[in-house]
Each structure stands twice: as C-alpha cells, then as structure tokens.
Amino acid sequence: MCGIVAYKGHKNCYPILLDGLHKLEYRGYDSAGVACLAENGKITVTKRSGKVKQLEDGLKKNNLIENCNGSGIAHTRWATHGKPNQVNAHPHKDQSGNIVLVHNGIIENYDPIKKFLRSKKVKFKSETDTEVLVQLIGYFFNQGKLNFEQSVRAALQRVDGAYGIVVLNKKEPDVMIAARKGSPLVLGIKDKEFFIGSDISPIIKHTQQIIYLEDAQMTIIDGDEFKITSIDEDLSLPKKVEKIDFKIDDYDKGEFKYFMHKEIHEQVDTIRNTVTGRTKKGNIILHGLLDYWHEIKQADKIFITACGTSWHAGLIGKNLIERFAKVPVHVEYASEFRYNKTLVDNKSVVIAISQSGETADTLAAIKKANDCGAITVGICNVPGSSVSRETNCGIFTRCGHEVGVASTKAFTAQISILYLYALKLADSNDSMSKKTIKEHLDFGEGLKKIKHVLNKENEIKKIALKYKNANDFLYLGRGLNFPVALEGALKLKEISYIHAEGYPAAEMKHGPIALVDKDMPNVFIVPKDKTYEKIISNIEEIKSRKGKIIIITDSKDKILKDLANDLIYVPKTNHYMFCVFATIVLQLFAYYIAVGKKLNVDRPRNLAKSVTVE
Ligand code: M6R
C-alpha cells in the first residue's frame, strides 16, 4: 500500500526522503514522488510512474538531489483512484501551487467535494481523490481568512474516509502538518529534526524516539517546536514519546538476495524469541493478557478474525484451542466479520491476528467486536500499531520487522502464540493435566530441529525447479495441516503467480480431483499421525489419475516412497512442530519456484504489504 516519508530539519532532505522511499518499497507501489520546500520558499515536485530508482534518476538528471535544505514530503503510491501514472502520483498541489500534500488512504466523499470545488472554478489535473483534498485545503487557505493549520483542519473536518497526510505550504514555510484518520502515521523526533512515516521503516535509521499519532490526531511542526492536537479542535494533547527497539538490521538483506529468503531463515530465532520467557516451570505467562485473563478464561465463545496468512494462523489456532482447551472457536475473515451478523456479545473473546497491525478489515472487525462489548485480544507483530492499540489486550509476536510481502516468519510466530494461548486456556479451565501441559511446553528439541529443516534447502530447491512451469497446484493436508496447505498454496500464488488451491486432503475428491492430470503437481502434507492411513488413500486417488505427487512427511515408510514422485522428509517431532516444519518447506518451495521464474520475490505484482484500505 502507499507509503509516506517526510522530513523537516536543517539537512538536505532529498537523500533522507529517497532513502525513506526505498525503505517503503516493500509495501508495494506503482509510482513515487517527492516535493521539497526550499529555504527560498520554492516548492519543487518530482514524480515518476514505476520505481523509486526512476524517480532518483529523474532527480539526479535535474541536479536536484544536492539541493534542498528545508522540508520535504515523499510518497510511494499504490493506485486506487486513477491509473498508476505520473500525473496521478503524489505529491499533489493545489491550484495556487502554494500547498503540496501526500496522502495514504481513500477520501470517500471526493466526488461531491470535487463538484463543489469545480463550481468555484478549481481545475483538477489528476483523477485522484487526493487532489480533491489538497484543493480543498487550498480553497480554504486562499480565501485568506484561515491560516494554514486552520485550513487543514477545516478541510479534514469535511472529508469522509481514511487518511494519513503530510502537507506543506510555501506561504508558511516553517510549518509542516501531518494528520491521520484510519491510516497510520508515526512521528520521529531527534533534537531539532522531525521525521514522519507511514510506518517506522523510513525513520528507524534516524531516531528511536517515536510518537504514534492516534486516530483523528494531527501534529503541527512549526520551526523547532511541535504540538499534537485533535483534528476536531485546536487543543494541545499530551506528547506520548516512546522508544522503539526495532533493529536497523531488519531493514537490511545481509547475505540474502531477498528479504523473504532472509526471513524464512530467521525462523530459527523468531520462533524461539516468540516463546522464550513466556513459560516457567509448566506455567504460561502472557503478560499482555494479565488484566483480562479472568474474563478471557470464562468466555463461552471465542472468535478469531484476520486476513490472508494471519487467517490461516487463526485456523490453526481454532484447532489448538478446541483440542487443548475444549472451547468452541469460530474463525472468520475480518472482511466478512465486519459485515456479517456474527453472534459476538459481551461474553465473547475476539482474537484479531495481524502481522502489520494496520490491516483495514481487521481493524474494522476489532471495532465491531469492541462495540459489541467483547474482549478483544490482538496477536500482532508491530508494537504501537493500530491493532495493538485498538484491542483491549494482546500478545506480540517477536519476529522483528517483516519486509517481504509474502508473510513467512510472522505466520510461524503467530501459531506459536496461539499454541501458548491454547495451552494457557487449557490450564485455566482444567481441560488438560499439568503434566501434559508441561510436556507440550518442552520446545527444546523441536526448536533445534528447525535448522535441520532449513538445511534441506538445496533438496527443496531441486524439486521446486522441476515443477516451476506447472500451471496449477493442489496442496492437501488434514487437521492442523489443512491450514498449512492453504498457506503453502497462498505463498505459491503470491510470489510465482501459479494458480494453487489448498484443500483438506479428503475434500479433494468432492470436486478438485476433476482438475488432476499428468501435468498437475499435488503437494501432500503427511505426518505420521492418526490421519496417516486416510491420507495415503487420498494420495492413491490422485496417483491413479496420473497426478504428480510431492510429499512432505516425517515418516520413512516405504509406502510413501513408492507413491511419491518427490519426497521431502522433515525431522520427527510433535503435531505443532510438524506444522511449522511443513510450513518452512512450503515457504522454501514457493520461494525457489518464484526465483526459478526470475520473479521479484519481495515485491510481487499487485500486492501490498499492509492492506490499509477496505
Ligand atoms: O498484516 P496482516 O497480517 O494483517 O496482513 C494480512 C494479509 O494481508 C497478509 O497476510 C497477506 O495475505 C500476505 N501477503 C500473505 O503473505
């Protein structure tokens, strides 16, 4: 999704903004632009469709990069209203050329405002909803009755929808204004320098002192000073400065060509980090839930809501909670939950899972759950994110920043948290003995064996390359491994653009089997558990239709060897760890198919890292 970076200080802003735009590239975009307001009061806007590199080349060609001490705003655009071209790229100016703005989100009532402004002889250059907003600010300012801050406030009070904006005005060159509603914005502070980002990635290199703007807040930076106010009225609010401890390393690929590859490998540490310190002598300590645990353990209904990969983690969570704690769980896509008549009430717990913590549908689902009086629990990777702030309580996955658009390490961390949650609930409602819980918490061996799975990389690569030209895949698993199959299929679709479907293995014969022919690879996830024999029958059914069989298993039985065209063994472990191992295999499998097809794994077409629009 769109990204914002802005700088105000004494340094040349171009290098800071361009570096920031590069850091934001992971979010997905189709054009980029930058506007600088120099000390002499001149605003220079440069925009390009395509990559930040093209913007950078354009700036170099015009000798601009060396050239601007002052304030600057920059943007990567992921098109919603209007084509992805140079005219529609941000920043946008008002008609007078005084005011310039970047915007994330969608202005829903742009059409009537545009009609109104046209009636006032305002001419539009782009097809965007964003230009409507900057023209509206300009309309108020240029009437001469309101100052810049008042004009921004007046305009924002008239727009519906979601926004994170940063605005400059050459008539008040010392001032930079940022505001948010629905779309996140972060303010970084370092002495007399200010940095604004749609997330912390463009800021972290410069400062760890951060203020997460809250919904419906704005910040007005004037010279070396700043204030936080609400959008509704000019009343100074407290400045909640936090120190963030994200590492700069998270934004560096190190020895890896792609972030996704690095992040797959990081799972050796991220799963460990996520569980470490959260268990002690058979007890599970989830500090973030402490204040609400009494109510949580008594809730008679549990809902899990999320999108994409996080939703797959939710399906695993359901299985674990029902298995361990014997409480029924309903899992629903956040985009459906927000509109369905789901039976949430003040005796429900709603668990919202989100890597980014900024997914619009998940936030809307949380709002609905809060409105219904449910206890909302966030499982989220980004401290300070909207999910972490909008939920009553929560648990952070501790995997560091995930840059690759295809989620990997966040998924395995999410299921690790859900595993702890399920066991803690089982402990609280006495549905499992202390002894069994203790056994389940013995992660030692399993965590060590993640390395062995990653060591299979070359073997997985060879198999992946063999199938890279297939057009369709089926991924099949049962029980806990059905969501793993869904996740494997999603990974392949996202980064290789190959059509793939995940199904419960037995469900395949109720329709999808019609697709099977000699060219179709079928990936089976086969742990040696009580479903083993049944899955073998499912494999036989595909085999007899000449489908290619790829098996991921922890069983060395001859029967699998005979059935498989390709076999990937993972170390013996428990149910939960098997899921993790199989997931890692499927992540590497998708990765190598995409690399084999020479695709940009970190920035798949049409996708955005955090989906901040509905
Ligand atoms: O940040 P979130 O976990 O809320 O994101 C949800 C989905 O948009 C996300 O998982 C998406 O499906 C990923 N691209 C999956 O790789």
Side-chain angles (χ1 to χ4, degrees), residues 435-470:
K435 185 170 165 284
T436 316
I437 292 176
K438 215 168 171 187
E439 282 161 15
H440 276 291
L441 291 176
D442 185 7
F443 295 114
E445 278 304 298
L447 289 175
K448 273 189 209 144
K449 287 177 182 167
I450 295 175
K451 246 199 190 113
H452 303 311
V453 181
L454 288 164
N455 286 343
K456 299 208 154 255
E457 178 151 12
N458 281 334
E459 199 184 308
I460 298 166
K461 176 176 176 182
K462 259 192 217 144
I463 300 172
L465 294 180
K466 218 167 119 179
Y467 293 101
K468 78 175 167 56
N469 294 321

Side-chain angles (χ1 to χ4, degrees), residues 461-503:
K461 176 176 176 182
K462 259 192 217 144
I463 300 172
L465 294 180
K466 218 167 119 179
Y467 293 101
K468 78 175 167 56
N469 294 321
N471 291 321
D472 304 276
F473 273 75
L474 275 184
Y475 282 68
L476 302 158
R478 303 184 79 134
L480 278 174
N481 292 300
F482 160 51
V484 174
L486 290 175
E487 176 58 10
L490 180 67
K491 285 296 84 101
L492 188 71
K493 272 185 267 208
E494 284 188 293
I495 59 171
S496 74
Y497 318 143
I498 295 175
H499 170 245
E501 300 287 345
Y503 277 98

Side-chain angles (χ1 to χ4, degrees), residues 355-560:
Q355 185 286 127
S356 61
E358 300 299 348
T359 302
D361 285 322
T362 309
L363 286 167
I366 293 169
K367 183 171 183 323
K368 172 173 172 177
N370 284 335
D371 291 347
C372 294
I375 294 175
T376 46
V377 177
I379 296 180
C380 176
N381 193 39
V382 184
S385 61
S386 304
V387 166
S388 71
R389 284 181 288 117
E390 302 297 325
T391 43
N392 295 128
C393 54
I395 320 164
F396 287 113
T397 45
R398 298 174 182 150
C399 15
H401 191 69
E402 189 180 69
V403 177
V405 164
S407 189
T408 53
K409 60 179 181 174
F411 177 71
T412 49
Q414 287 164 348
I415 59 181
S416 307
I417 293 288
L418 287 159
Y419 186 76
L420 293 178
Y421 185 100
L423 287 172
K424 188 169 173 65
L425 199 56
D427 191 15
S428 294
N429 67 14
D430 292 326
S431 48
M432 209 183 229
S433 73
K434 281 267 179 217
K435 185 170 165 284
T436 316
I437 292 176
K438 215 168 171 187
E439 282 161 15
H440 276 291
L441 291 176
D442 185 7
F443 295 114
E445 278 304 298
L447 289 175
K448 273 189 209 144
K449 287 177 182 167
I450 295 175
K451 246 199 190 113
H452 303 311
V453 181
L454 288 164
N455 286 343
K456 299 208 154 255
E457 178 151 12
N458 281 334
E459 199 184 308
I460 298 166
K461 176 176 176 182
K462 259 192 217 144
I463 300 172
L465 294 180
K466 218 167 119 179
Y467 293 101
K468 78 175 167 56
N469 294 321
N471 291 321
D472 304 276
F473 273 75
L474 275 184
Y475 282 68
L476 302 158
R478 303 184 79 134
L480 278 174
N481 292 300
F482 160 51
V484 174
L486 290 175
E487 176 58 10
L490 180 67
K491 285 296 84 101
L492 188 71
K493 272 185 267 208
E494 284 188 293
I495 59 171
S496 74
Y497 318 143
I498 295 175
H499 170 245
E501 300 287 345
Y503 277 98
E507 189 60 25
M508 152 279 294
K509 58 185 177 295
H510 298 284
I513 197 165
L515 299 169
V516 175
D517 63 13
K518 67 177 180 24
D519 299 319
M520 175 129 166
N522 299 268
V523 181
F524 279 91
I525 308 159
V526 194
K528 185 85 189 221
D529 64 12
K530 65 173 195 290
T531 61
Y532 181 75
E533 308 293 339
K534 303 281 178 205
I535 302 194
I536 292 196
S537 313
N538 303 144
I539 299 175
E540 302 266 15
E541 282 153 5
I542 300 263
K543 184 89 183 164
S544 59
R545 279 145 189 103
K546 301 197 168 44
K548 300 276 183 301
I549 310 284
I550 303 160
I551 295 177
I552 301 163
T553 185
D554 57 354
S555 158
K556 296 243 162 150
D557 288 1
K558 182 167 176 311
I559 187 163
L560 289 184

Side-chain angles (χ1 to χ4, degrees), residues 310-353:
S310 298
W311 183 78
H312 296 156
L315 291 178
I316 294 182
K318 168 187 165 72
N319 188 310
L320 293 170
I321 294 171
E322 291 182 343
R323 189 187 286 234
F324 295 162
K326 319 273 184 279
V327 183
V329 182
H330 176 76
V331 185
E332 195 157 295
Y333 284 117
S335 53
E336 294 294 303
F337 184 96
R338 63 187 291 184
Y339 294 116
N340 280 349
K341 297 266 176 251
T342 311
L343 300 172
V344 192
D345 57 24
N346 60 4
K347 290 194 187 67
S348 314
V349 165
V350 177
I351 304 175
I353 310 173

Side-chain angles (χ1 to χ4, degrees), residues 30-273:
D30 38 54
S31 56
V34 58
C36 286
L37 172 54
E39 280 164 337
N40 63 9
K42 191 177 165 216
I43 292 182
T44 310
V45 179
T46 313
K47 315 198 263 193
R48 290 291 181 274
S49 67
K51 296 293 167 203
V52 174
K53 175 79 180 62
Q54 280 151 279
L55 175 71
E56 204 166 354
D57 291 345
L59 289 164
K60 277 187 188 146
K61 209 168 138 198
N62 297 326
N63 290 326
L64 285 171
I65 286 190
E66 302 305 324
N67 229 336
C68 184
N69 290 352
S71 308
I73 57 179
H75 191 262
T76 48
R77 173 172 187 255
W78 193 81
T80 54
H81 290 65
K83 290 176 227 47
N85 59 25
Q86 187 163 319
V87 177
N88 289 334
H90 301 207
H92 287 282
K93 275 186 179 181
D94 79 320
Q95 185 160 276
S96 70
N98 289 333
I99 295 172
V100 65
L101 167 144
V102 287
H103 164 225
N104 282 3
I106 293 176
I107 305 299
E108 285 165 2
N109 59 341
Y110 74 95
D111 196 40
I113 298 176
K114 195 169 187 174
K115 283 187 183 127
F116 164 77
L117 290 169
R118 276 193 171 134
S119 75
K120 302 286 173 197
K121 308 268 178 288
V122 173
K123 293 212 164 43
F124 287 84
K125 287 189 174 149
S126 76
E127 305 158 297
T128 63
D129 52 327
T130 301
E131 192 186 350
V132 173
L133 178 54
V134 72
Q135 295 280 20
L136 187 62
I137 297 171
Y139 170 75
F140 285 121
F141 184 75
N142 294 324
Q143 283 180 334
K145 291 188 192 130
L146 304 179
N147 67 18
F148 180 29
E149 180 185 332
Q150 290 162 337
S151 305
V152 173
R153 191 170 273 119
L156 292 181
Q157 286 169 358
R158 282 160 179 81
V159 296
D160 298 330
Y163 53 79
I165 59 162
V166 189
V167 209
L168 292 171
N169 180 354
K170 71 175 175 194
K171 298 283 180 194
E172 293 188 27
D174 275 345
V175 180
M176 175 181 272
I177 299 179
R180 71 156 282 190
K181 194 173 149 213
S183 196
L185 275 187
V186 186
L187 170 67
I189 306 149
K190 184 185 176 194
D191 301 325
K192 293 174 179 171
E193 288 178 283
F194 300 92
F195 304 83
I196 294 171
S198 42
D199 64 46
I200 57 166
S201 58
I203 298 180
I204 183 74
K205 180 175 172 180
H206 307 284
T207 178
Q208 288 182 302
Q209 302 297 318
I210 294 292
I211 294 180
Y212 291 99
L213 278 195
E214 286 178 19
D215 225 31
Q217 281 189 346
M218 57 199 270
T219 179
I220 298 99
I221 307 167
D222 191 347
D224 299 340
E225 305 290 325
F226 77 101
K227 65 176 179 181
I228 308 278
T229 75
S230 84
I231 289 170
D232 287 341
E233 53 182 336
D234 179 15
L235 193 70
S236 276
L237 298 168
K239 297 172 181 171
K240 295 188 199 155
V241 183
E242 295 177 34
K243 184 167 186 287
I244 40 157
D245 62 357
F246 271 46
K247 297 191 299 285
I248 294 172
D249 281 7
D250 288 338
Y251 301 91
D252 186 350
K253 283 189 279 220
E255 67 194 82
F256 295 93
K257 186 164 177 214
Y258 289 106
F259 278 107
M260 179 182 179
H261 195 199
K262 176 180 173 238
E263 287 160 4
I264 292 172
H265 278 265
E266 280 173 356
Q267 289 172 109
V268 174
D269 299 317
T270 52
I271 299 174
R272 186 182 294 280
N273 291 345

